[in-house]
């Protein structure tokens, strides 16, 4: 019988810099991780290469948010060329699906001809977003998903994008490592803040020249412990946001 990861436990863990992993897909339990050196992508430091910017502006993919959260999680748990096993087990799947229903976990999806070809998912708490995993079935799909995520977080008033670890793939996009103590300081400030994941959707597709709207109040960890879900909310997509607009948001300076 596998352990249960309830949303309140997960939110408390993220608020202090800890996250769960499993040894394998079939592992009945999870273990808790707090890296000595933490990976982050500074939201003003995303590396948008010329080739990626060209792909982004071409709108080769249709990009959505929170339209296929479960499918994205399951795709992230599939074996990949660089790994034979996954750290996403049944307890993690169920726990993050529950977080998604409460508006604290979100996904970005990349589609081509109606088929899901890439995406990512993560956890939102205050002004912090914790990227959990990404996948790509065609070239550049996960990079485009990440570009959309960074633009969305910048527009929504977030201050921290946590990647947990830094891989060569993430480093090429601007991820850096920082010491645990430095991360804890950034985390405390971010969790005390407020981010609005769906702000870019509420503004509509033409977002490049708009100011960032103040994010609504985000639930405190105490609220989360009481099961109060408010503030972050699942995204409601009002229309497609073009790659050109995302590119402009990524290159705007504050």
């Amino acid at each position: 019988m596998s352990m249960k990861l309830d949303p309140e436990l997960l939110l408390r863990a993220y608020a202090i810099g800890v996250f769960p992993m499993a040894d394998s897909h079939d592992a009945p339990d999870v273990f808790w991780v707090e890296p000595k050196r933490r990976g982050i992508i500074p939201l003003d430091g995303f590396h948008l290469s010329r080739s990626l910017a060209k792909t982004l502006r071409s709108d080769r993919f249709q990009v959505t948010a929170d339209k296929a959260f479960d499918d994205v999680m399951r795709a992230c748990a599939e074996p990949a060329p660089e790994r034979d096993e996954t750290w996403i087990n049944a307890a993690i799947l169920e726990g993050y699906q529950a977080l998604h229903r409460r508006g604290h976990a979100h996904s970005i999806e990349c589609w081509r001809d109606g088929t899901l070809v890439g995406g990512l998912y993560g956890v939102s708490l205050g002004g912090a977003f914790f990227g959990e995993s990404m996948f790509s079935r065609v070239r550049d799909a996960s990079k485009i998903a990440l570009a959309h995520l960074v633009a969305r977080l910048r527009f929504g008033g977030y201050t921290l994008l946590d990647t947990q670890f830094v891989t060569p793939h993430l480093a090429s996009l601007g991820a850096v490592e920082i010491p645990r103590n430095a991360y804890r300081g950034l985390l405390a400030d971010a969790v005390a803040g407020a981010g609005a994941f769906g702000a870019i959707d509420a503004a509509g597709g033409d977002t490049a020249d708009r100011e960032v709207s103040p994010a609504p109040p985000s639930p405190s960890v105490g609220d989360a412990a009481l099961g109060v879900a408010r503030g972050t909310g699942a995204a409601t997509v009002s229309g497609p946001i073009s790659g050109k607009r995302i590119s402009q948001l990524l290159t705007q300076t504050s």
Side-chain angles (χ1 to χ4, degrees):
M1 182 177 180
S2 63
M3 71 175 295
K4 183 176 178 63
L5 291 174
D6 63 82
E8 291 78 15
L9 173 63
L10 285 168
L11 292 176
R12 288 193 190 100
Y14 277 98
I16 61 171
V18 180
F19 56 89
M21 297 182 73
D23 284 322
S24 69
H25 178 272
D26 298 322
D29 299 314
V30 303
F31 56 92
W32 297 92
V33 182
E34 185 185 15
K36 291 182 179 180
R37 295 188 62 81
R38 195 73 168 229
I40 67 168
I41 295 180
L43 290 172
D44 59 355
F46 181 76
H47 178 56
L48 184 64
S49 67
R50 288 185 179 181
S51 61
L52 184 59
K54 182 178 179 180
T55 301
L56 186 60
R57 291 192 298 267
S58 74
D59 287 323
R60 184 181 306 169
F61 304 102
Q62 179 190 10
V63 183
T64 58
D66 288 333
K67 291 299 184 183
F69 183 86
D70 291 2
D71 292 336
V72 168
M73 273 205 78
R74 294 185 185 282
C76 288
E78 293 173 353
E82 66 274 13
R83 67 172 190 273
D84 295 327
E85 193 50 87
T86 179
W87 53 268
I88 301 172
N89 68 352
I92 289 174
L93 277 168
E94 293 173 5
Y96 288 80
Q97 287 166 348
L99 273 183
H100 175 62
R101 290 192 293 271
R102 295 195 181 194
H104 280 289
H106 300 284
S107 59
I108 301 290
E109 304 92 15
C110 286
W111 309 83
R112 181 180 284 178
D113 299 327
T115 299
L116 183 65
V117 295
L120 57 83
Y121 77 95
V123 173
S124 174
L125 182 62
F129 191 90
F130 309 87
E132 284 295 310
S133 189
M134 61 175 60
F135 79 99
S136 187
R137 291 171 177 158
V138 300
R139 182 176 178 178
D140 287 339
S142 63
K143 292 181 179 180
I144 294 298
L146 186 57
H148 273 257
L149 174 68
V150 171
R152 177 176 289 271
L153 297 183
R154 288 186 60 172
F155 193 86
Y158 287 78
T159 58
L160 176 65
L161 173 52
D162 174 5
T163 67
Q164 301 176 347
F165 304 104
V166 175
T167 63
H169 176 67
L170 289 173
S172 72
L173 296 167
V176 297
E177 281 188 337
I178 60 174
R180 180 185 292 167
N181 286 341
Y183 172 78
R184 286 174 175 171
L186 293 176
L187 175 65
D189 290 343
V191 168
F197 191 82
I200 196 170
D201 303 306
D206 187 6
T207 61
D209 298 321
R210 297 175 185 261
E211 295 293 329
V212 176
S213 302
S218 180
S220 68
V221 177
D223 290 335
L226 295 172
V228 179
R230 64 175 186 266
T232 53
T236 302
V237 178
S238 57
I241 301 168
S242 72
K244 180 180 178 181
R245 295 305 190 190
I246 294 297
S247 178
Q248 290 173 334
L249 284 168
L250 290 173
T251 54
Q252 280 180 344
T253 56
S254 56

